[in-house]
Amino acid sequence: VAWATTAAVSPVVYVQPGDSGATFGLPGDQQLVGGAVDWVASADARAWARARPTPVDARVTPGGSA
């Protein structure tokens, strides 16, 4: 499972490669995660996110909620 969305104008990618630590040792899953990181850090991803802004609840703080 993998999908992309935005948080304000930042690109965000969610990847769920499997349900055990062994999954991260699989070459295909390593390629999936690496590709997601490469894309989310790219100029194309930033342009994609700027074209699709989403609101972010300013009351939510890292590690908890308002």
Side-chain angles (χ1 to χ4, degrees):
V1 174
W3 50 265
T5 189
T6 58
V9 293
S10 297
V12 176
V13 173
Y14 173 84
V15 178
Q16 181 182 358
D19 60 359
S20 75
T23 303
F24 292 103
L26 299 173
D29 287 330
Q30 292 174 352
Q31 184 178 5
L32 175 63
V33 172
V37 170
D38 289 344
W39 180 79
V40 83
S42 72
D44 286 343
R46 290 189 300 277
W48 177 85
R50 282 192 300 273
R52 296 162 181 80
T54 57
V56 175
D57 189 340
R59 297 173 300 160
V60 176
T61 58
S65 58

